[in-house]
Amino acid sequence: MLDEPGRQTHSASFLRRHRALLILVALPVVLALVVGGWLWRINGDIAGIQRFEAHLDRPDRPESVEVKDGSPINVVIAGVDDGKGTDLEDALGADTWPAGAFRSDTIMVLHLNANRTEGQLVSIPRDSYVDVPGHGTDKINASFSYGGPALLARTLEDLTGVRMDHSVVLDWNGFDGITDAVGGVDVADEDGQDIHLEGEAALEYVRERKSLPRGDFDRIERQQNFVRAIFKKLSSAGVLRNPLEITSLAGTLDEFLAVDSSLDNGRIRSLALQHRGLRPGDLSFVTVPTLGTDTVDGASIVRLDRPATRDLFDAVAHDEYLAWQEANDAVDELPEEQDVD
């Protein structure tokens, strides 16, 4: 089945109530948690973040990777829709996932290297045609709809051959609010023209797909570009280094962010201290290798280059992405940022 399972009427989702700081928490359990070394002071606030059981243990899971500098980390990031008729907080806490209530139209894997000096954010197109355990072959975003973050993570592990250490669930509909919160961001459009984005213009920028030459692929690039611009703005403004600002931000995390139960307070504090020196330029934004689009049973899909996808993730998992990148000319990576006045 290619279409998403049935969706119900909307009730208030806990992820929709505080959208303005969404992108701030979209990178390594979000980059706010990673670069905000002051988060160790606000244990009570981060304790309020919802945890959910990932249910990933199984005999055939990929093994954890150890490199000479220690243990890299892989984080699944799922951006979800409104959850028609179902509250996400209730869904994540339920014994049985409500199949069909939510979709995940944005799927990324954040890799943080063992010495915590760089990372990669790897995007997987939502229409990627993959094997979904227990459901045959389907679009990858159907895995979240069928079985929530647990089935999405398992699907990614089977696809990539790489263990997913943590999962983050958030709403990606807050682009307009966060730009207002930081006074807007500057990006270069497809023609190389500098544009300033605020409010609804930011939402339109990251949501547009049909008018773009490569459709969803260009939308992914726009989202990556926007995330990088937001992070740069927050870093350059010193927001993430100000204990008062961090305390204020952390107090709202539970309104739009949920993480798996292995990310307890101690783990989050540890990540914050380990990654406090990470900067936007230390991250590479890349999309998995594909073979183009196709149609199956009337539905548009994306054909992944599965061997190349596995090679990419194997290199990423072993902290060898830069060497892999140099050896692969056709890497779909977000171009290096140009200075925007």
Side-chain angles (χ1 to χ4, degrees):
M1 176 178 177
L2 292 172
D3 293 333
E4 300 298 340
R7 299 167 64 189
Q8 308 162 13
T9 304
H10 173 66
S11 66
S13 170
F14 86 113
L15 293 180
R16 291 300 299 268
R17 291 174 297 192
H18 288 273
R19 298 163 47 188
L21 301 173
L22 171 61
I23 304 305
L24 173 62
V25 294
L27 307 172
V29 190
V30 210
L31 290 176
L33 303 182
V34 169
V35 301
W38 287 97
L39 284 179
W40 64 273
R41 293 191 174 191
I42 47 178
N43 193 66
D45 289 323
I46 60 177
I49 299 172
Q50 183 182 7
R51 268 73 173 188
F52 56 85
E53 294 301 324
H55 300 298
L56 289 178
D57 290 336
R58 53 192 169 98
D60 55 345
R61 278 191 80 189
E63 296 292 332
S64 297
V65 171
E66 295 288 333
V67 299
K68 64 179 182 180
D69 294 322
S71 300
I73 299 172
N74 300 306
V75 182
V76 179
I77 299 172
V80 302
D81 64 4
D82 299 338
K84 304 302 183 180
T86 304
D87 185 87
L88 185 56
E89 185 174 13
D90 293 338
L92 291 171
D95 292 334
T96 302
W97 177 259
F102 297 93
R103 296 184 304 175
S104 180
D105 284 343
T106 301
I107 298 170
M108 300 177 174
V109 175
L110 176 74
H111 175 82
L112 299 167
N113 72 346
N115 60 19
R116 310 300 189 247
T117 58
E118 62 185 40
Q120 293 81 44
L121 188 68
V122 184
S123 294
I124 299 94
R126 64 176 188 171
D127 292 338
S128 298
Y129 202 50
V130 301
D131 297 324
V132 179
H135 298 276
T137 309
D138 208 329
K139 297 180 181 183
I140 195 168
N141 67 343
S143 65
F144 190 92
S145 183
Y146 289 131
L151 185 57
L152 172 60
R154 178 170 182 175
T155 300
L156 285 168
E157 288 188 342
D158 288 353
L159 172 68
T160 66
V162 171
R163 178 180 286 247
M164 301 298 154
D165 301 296
H166 302 297
S167 292
V168 174
V169 177
L170 46 84
D171 184 352
W172 282 88
N173 291 318
F175 290 104
D176 55 345
I178 192 171
T179 51
D180 291 341
V182 300
V185 296
D186 299 313
V187 299
D189 66 13
E190 288 75 19
D191 297 324
Q193 300 298 312
D194 299 347
I195 56 176
H196 183 76
L197 297 175
E198 293 188 38
E200 289 298 323
L203 185 59
E204 292 175 5
Y205 174 78
V206 298
R207 278 299 193 191
E208 180 56 35
R209 172 174 58 94
K210 293 182 179 180
S211 68
L212 302 177
R214 298 193 305 153
D216 196 47
F217 295 99
D218 283 337
R219 180 169 65 174
I220 287 173
E221 184 170 302
R222 280 188 169 199
Q223 291 175 349
Q224 294 173 341
N225 195 34
F226 189 86
V227 169
R228 183 170 62 185
I230 286 290
F231 185 39
K232 179 182 178 182
K233 183 67 175 285
L234 290 169
S235 298
S236 63
V239 173
L240 301 182
R241 301 181 188 88
N242 185 317
L244 296 178
E245 294 283 356
I246 288 294
T247 300
S248 176
L249 299 183
T252 65
L253 291 180
D254 64 315
E255 300 291 345
F256 51 78
L257 173 69
V259 301
D260 74 84
S261 58
S262 66
L263 283 165
D264 57 22
N265 291 7
R267 180 62 167 158
I268 290 176
R269 288 197 305 271
S270 175
L271 287 173
L273 292 172
Q274 291 172 17
H275 294 85
R276 61 187 180 273
L278 198 66
R279 298 294 178 265
D282 300 325
L283 291 172
S284 299
F285 296 80
V286 61
T287 302
V288 293
T290 69
L291 300 174
T293 58
D294 201 350
T295 301
V296 174
D297 295 335
S300 177
I301 65 166
V302 173
R303 297 282 187 190
L304 296 185
D305 185 335
R306 296 197 182 193
T309 293
R310 283 213 159 210
D311 287 345
L312 164 63
F313 271 95
D314 183 70
V316 166
H318 289 85
D319 289 352
E320 297 174 351
Y321 170 73
L322 294 180
W324 183 90
Q325 176 197 46
E326 291 179 359
N328 291 268
D329 296 333
V331 177
D332 189 0
E333 183 175 282
L334 185 68
E336 292 185 7
E337 185 178 23
Q338 302 297 315
D339 290 333
V340 178
D341 296 330

